[in-house]
């Protein structure tokens, strides 16, 4: 099976007949930005409880593709959406080497600290936040540079943890799963015993009442194990395949392929997979422009995307 790396390299290297398409694909990561909107009424969520969630995923901060100015613009755009809360789904660190500068966490985290929402800003980490931290990979334990920087900027980071939040007297749980691909496989024997730091059962065991649950999980594949107790799972990681043609992604970093590549689907719970904002492997997107996601739970607002 062709890997995403080989596919993107092939697509980026198309001949003269595809020059305009390739040029568009390289320009899209740095120029376009859209808001993908979903209105969802999960059976586990009270129909009369309206909650708006802004979602930022897969920034991959670097120059020139995801500069500090662009991150500031994303923050301003997100704040203007008027969401009840904002969630960050990981991969703040650049995921490819085609950059002029890797932006350190000490610079991008304070910018994300400018995010504001009535119910707060909440974050989890992604695989690149672990992979690019060489000390953590060597020692087999965190916290990562990304986590420390986000917390210093006032953004709480969840790793197999939960918080009980309340809007207008109605409560719900926000659960953040540890990353499922935290350690590079080559490091498993020194000293890491497993790749992920996720613990779904222990995370959900911290939910102490029957209020609805929203789960943040960087990689979407855990959806196949998430119990129906969860109303909504929000994920990133896939970038929508980074190339998406006629609603189909040729290569997806998920064992479930296009089922969990992008957008809204339902397994045991409702799942929304963001197309993300940055790039991995290559700074190239086609058919899946960078996006902020706005999810509305409950209410009767028609879905728009």
């Amino acid at each position: 099976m062709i890997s995403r790396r080989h596919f993107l390299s092939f697509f980026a290297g198309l001949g003269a007949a595809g020059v305009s398409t390739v040029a568009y694909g390289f320009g899209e990561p740095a120029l376009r930005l859209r808001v993908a909107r979903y209105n969802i009424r999960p059976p586990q969520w009270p129909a009369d409880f309206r909650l708006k969630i802004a979602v930022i995923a897969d920034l991959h901060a670097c120059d020139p593709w995801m500069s500090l100015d662009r991150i500031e613009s994303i923050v301003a755009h997100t704040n203007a959406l008027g969401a009840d809360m904002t969630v960050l789904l990981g991969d703040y660190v650049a995921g490819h080497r085609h950059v002029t500068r890797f932006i350190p966490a000490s610079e991008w985290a304070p910018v994300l600290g400018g995010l504001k929402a009535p119910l707060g800003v909440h974050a989890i980490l992604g695989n690149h936040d672990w992979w690019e931290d060489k000390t953590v990979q060597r020692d087999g334990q965190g916290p990562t540079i990304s986590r420390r920087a986000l917390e210093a900027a006032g953004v709480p980071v969840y790793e197999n943890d939960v918080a009980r939040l309340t809007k207008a007297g109605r409560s719900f749980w926000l659960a953040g799963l540890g990353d499922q691909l935290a350690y590079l496989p080559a490091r498993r024997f020194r000293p890491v015993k497993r790749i992920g730091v996720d613990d779904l059962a222990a995370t959900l065991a911290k939910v102490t009442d029957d209020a609805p649950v929203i789960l943040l999980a960087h990689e979407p594949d855990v959806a196949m194990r998430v119990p129906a107790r969860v109303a909504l799972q929000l994920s990133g990681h896939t970038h929508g395949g980074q190339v998406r043609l006629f609603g189909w992604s040729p290569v997806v970093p998920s064992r479930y392929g296009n089922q969990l590549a992008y957008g809204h689907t339902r397994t045991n719970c409702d799942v929304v997979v963001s197309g993300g904002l940055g790039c991995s492997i290559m700074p190239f997107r086609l058919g899946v422009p960078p996006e902020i996601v706005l999810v509305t739970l409950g209410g009767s607002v028609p879905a728009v995307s």
Side-chain angles (χ1 to χ4, degrees):
M1 180 182 293
I2 187 171
S3 70
R4 183 165 68 166
R5 180 183 298 276
H6 289 141
F7 178 81
L8 289 173
S9 297
F10 165 78
F11 217 87
L14 289 176
V19 167
S20 61
T21 299
V22 171
Y24 179 86
F26 276 109
E28 195 164 79
L31 298 176
R32 293 192 64 191
L33 178 65
R34 73 165 188 163
V35 177
R37 302 173 187 266
Y38 301 91
N39 185 278
I40 305 172
R41 302 184 73 176
Q44 306 93 324
W45 190 266
D48 61 345
F49 182 13
R50 192 163 186 261
L51 183 75
K52 293 174 66 177
I53 310 166
V55 181
I56 292 176
D58 301 286
L59 277 172
H60 293 295
C62 63
D63 287 328
W65 311 106
M66 185 59 67
S67 66
L68 290 176
D69 285 346
R70 182 160 174 80
I71 297 172
E72 288 175 354
S73 175
I74 290 167
V75 167
H77 202 144
T78 303
N79 286 342
L81 293 174
D84 295 301
M85 69 176 182
T86 296
V87 298
L88 311 178
L89 298 185
D91 273 7
Y92 314 97
V93 178
H96 60 86
R97 297 293 182 265
H98 304 276
V99 306
T100 58
R101 184 174 82 102
F102 292 98
I103 300 175
S106 59
E107 295 182 25
W108 56 253
V111 178
L112 291 178
L115 289 163
K116 306 296 180 186
L119 297 183
V121 180
H122 312 267
I124 58 172
L125 300 181
N127 56 299
H128 283 283
D129 305 313
W130 287 85
W131 289 0
E132 303 302 328
D133 191 322
K134 304 308 180 187
T135 300
V136 165
Q137 292 296 312
R138 182 196 65 211
D139 295 346
Q141 61 183 354
T144 65
I145 294 170
S146 294
R147 176 171 188 165
R148 295 199 304 267
L150 283 166
E151 290 177 340
V155 179
V157 177
Y158 295 66
E159 186 176 302
N160 303 322
D161 212 347
V162 303
R164 194 173 189 270
L165 304 176
T166 301
K167 176 190 176 182
R170 309 287 291 271
S171 295
F172 65 96
W173 291 91
L174 184 66
L177 191 66
D179 191 71
Q180 300 158 64
L181 299 173
Y183 292 103
L184 290 163
R187 301 285 187 181
R188 290 186 72 181
F189 64 93
R190 190 188 58 174
V192 179
K193 303 303 182 184
R194 60 192 296 258
I195 293 176
V197 294
D198 56 302
D199 193 333
L200 180 63
T203 303
L204 296 181
K206 296 177 180 180
V207 173
T208 58
D209 60 29
D210 60 358
V213 178
I214 297 169
L215 175 68
L216 311 181
H218 178 68
E219 296 89 0
D221 284 12
V222 73
M224 298 306 182
R225 297 191 288 113
V226 170
R229 171 72 179 86
V230 173
L232 174 68
Q233 175 182 319
L234 297 172
S235 293
H237 182 65
T238 67
H239 302 193
Q242 219 160 286
V243 173
R244 191 165 176 86
L245 308 170
F246 308 108
W248 175 73
S249 301
V251 180
V252 182
S254 164
R255 72 183 67 180
Y256 302 105
N258 274 266
Q259 184 177 1
L260 291 174
Y262 176 75
H264 176 216
T265 189
R266 182 164 180 80
T267 55
N268 291 329
C269 68
D270 282 86
V271 182
V272 172
V273 180
S274 168
L277 288 152
C279 293
S280 181
I281 310 299
M282 293 284 290
F284 183 88
R285 281 177 174 260
L286 187 65
V288 53
E291 66 181 24
I292 302 165
V293 171
L294 184 65
V295 176
T296 302
L297 293 174
S300 58
V301 179
V304 179
S305 61

